[in-house]
Amino acid sequence: MAAGTSSRFVPLSQERPKGLLEVKGEILIERQIRQLREAGISDITVVTGYKADMFHYLQDKFGVSVVMNEDYARYNNTSSVVRILDRLSNTYLCSSDNYFTKNVFAEDPQESYYSALYADGETSEYCIVTDATGSIKEVRIGGRDSWYMVGHAYFTRSFSAIFSKILRDEYTRPETRRQYWEDVYIRHIDVLPMKINKYEAGDVFEFDTLDELRLFDKSYVTDTRSSVIKAICRQTGWKEGDLHDFKKADRSCQPLTFSFSVGERRYIYDSLAKESITEI
């Protein structure tokens, strides 16, 4: 899945989809495709939406299929999954912006699963409750000292058949279109058997902001790969590493407006304003 706008990753996501970011010398989605192919998986579909044209080169480079999700801007990831229901079988469902330090696709799973990491203390993630066999019995939004959903999931052929029928039926409802596919799964968890697949810290990474990415790939401290941030630094004399805590200032894609901090001070950048940078 590579359709989303990743607005929390502003301003980098305004210039390219997050799945096309370079991390430790590799493009995120290209790394996943290589790992899939190394595991013997060649039937790969990329669902695009935001800046879809930027993904087209993957067809020639890797031989993947590309499916367009025209509803990416108004609906959630159910709108991506519903477009590939006919392709679900024994299938990995992945987000293009995850970074796996080991090849998680080489495990030869026999049962459907959702991958998970452990959170010490409070978390707002989707927390997993299992029975003694590792079967997922409940998923709660938020919790403490809990395993939580992260990264990829694996569907068996039988799971795919049941899930596809449920999502097709539910997708007629506007509220379902605004939800994650995981929300649909949770509502029907009693007929969609799935195991937890636990990973150690450091196996799976999910970067929601530039600050999080900088902790993993320190080259982004001095080189953000962002023409917008570089322009701000030329204008102000700041270094790229001085800017942090970026937040989108509104919900629209244009104009490019976001806030950020330098030291203890907070600023807003508006690409269309005469004075593009103002302290707030």
Side-chain angles (χ1 to χ4, degrees), residues 109-129:
Q110 302 301 308
E111 298 178 273
S112 298
Y113 73 74
Y114 207 112
S115 54
L117 291 176
Y118 190 77
D120 287 311
E122 295 288 340
T123 179
S124 59
E125 301 285 354
Y126 279 49
C127 297
I128 300 172
V129 179

Side-chain angles (χ1 to χ4, degrees), residues 6-279:
S6 303
S7 60
R8 285 187 292 175
F9 224 90
V10 68
L12 275 67
S13 57
Q14 292 287 336
E15 301 176 62
R16 65 183 61 83
K18 191 163 60 161
L20 293 178
L21 289 178
E22 175 192 325
V23 177
K24 294 197 172 181
E26 293 180 279
I27 303 299
L28 283 173
I29 194 170
E30 289 189 16
R31 178 180 172 85
Q32 274 195 38
I33 292 171
R34 289 190 190 99
Q35 289 176 323
L36 285 161
R37 292 176 66 172
E38 288 167 5
I41 300 167
S42 58
D43 183 3
I44 302 168
T45 300
V46 179
V47 184
T48 63
Y50 176 65
K51 295 187 181 295
D53 290 350
M54 298 184 74
F55 289 99
H56 286 176
Y57 79 97
L58 296 171
Q59 297 175 91
D60 293 331
K61 187 169 184 177
F62 295 104
V64 302
S65 300
V66 175
V67 173
M68 177 65 182
N69 173 9
E70 296 86 354
D71 292 326
Y72 74 91
R74 58 177 180 158
Y75 297 139
N76 218 316
N77 73 10
T78 50
S79 66
S80 286
V81 178
V82 79
R83 282 167 167 77
I84 48 85
L85 292 180
D86 61 330
R87 301 176 185 229
L88 292 181
S89 181
N90 294 320
T91 304
Y92 287 104
L93 192 60
C94 314
S95 297
S96 65
D97 56 355
N98 286 145
Y99 186 100
F100 305 116
T101 55
K102 66 178 185 179
N103 194 336
V104 298
F105 308 115
E107 298 170 342
D108 190 25
Q110 302 301 308
E111 298 178 273
S112 298
Y113 73 74
Y114 207 112
S115 54
L117 291 176
Y118 190 77
D120 287 311
E122 295 288 340
T123 179
S124 59
E125 301 285 354
Y126 279 49
C127 297
I128 300 172
V129 179
T130 64
D131 63 15
T133 70
S135 295
I136 301 175
K137 295 303 180 184
E138 185 181 358
V139 179
R140 303 167 181 166
I141 301 176
R144 182 178 182 83
D145 300 327
S146 175
W147 290 93
Y148 65 92
M149 290 175 153
V150 66
H152 61 296
Y154 178 76
F155 293 2
T156 62
R157 183 177 288 108
S158 58
F159 183 102
S160 293
I162 299 169
F163 178 79
S164 295
K165 183 180 185 308
I166 289 171
L167 182 55
R168 263 195 200 94
D169 292 342
E170 284 214 8
Y171 198 70
T172 58
R173 298 160 46 193
E175 56 269 31
T176 297
R177 298 181 182 190
R178 293 190 291 268
Q179 293 175 337
Y180 296 108
W181 73 260
E182 288 91 342
D183 296 316
V184 178
Y185 157 69
I186 292 167
R187 282 199 297 277
H188 300 275
I189 201 167
D190 56 327
V191 295
L192 291 168
M194 184 174 271
K195 296 277 190 175
I196 188 172
N197 192 4
K198 298 177 180 179
Y199 288 94
E200 296 180 5
D203 288 343
V204 181
F205 285 89
E206 199 171 55
F207 313 110
D208 288 329
T209 64
L210 175 56
D211 290 334
E212 289 184 9
L213 176 57
R214 282 170 162 172
L215 295 175
F216 184 74
D217 186 342
K218 298 191 183 303
S219 70
Y220 273 88
V221 175
T222 56
D223 181 9
T224 58
R225 286 77 155 170
S226 167
S227 61
V228 175
I229 294 176
K230 291 180 187 298
I232 290 172
C233 291
R234 285 194 300 271
Q235 180 180 341
T236 61
W238 293 323
K239 296 179 180 179
E240 291 183 56
D242 294 333
L243 283 65
H244 61 95
D245 193 21
F246 296 88
K247 287 185 172 60
K248 201 169 189 317
D250 57 46
R251 296 181 64 86
S252 63
C253 291
Q254 295 296 338
L256 174 55
T257 308
F258 60 90
S259 62
F260 61 93
S261 294
V262 176
E264 298 299 318
R265 295 186 173 183
R266 192 81 182 156
Y267 299 86
I268 192 164
Y269 173 85
D270 184 342
S271 62
L272 297 185
K274 184 177 180 181
E275 298 293 336
S276 58
I277 304 167
T278 54
E279 187 172 355

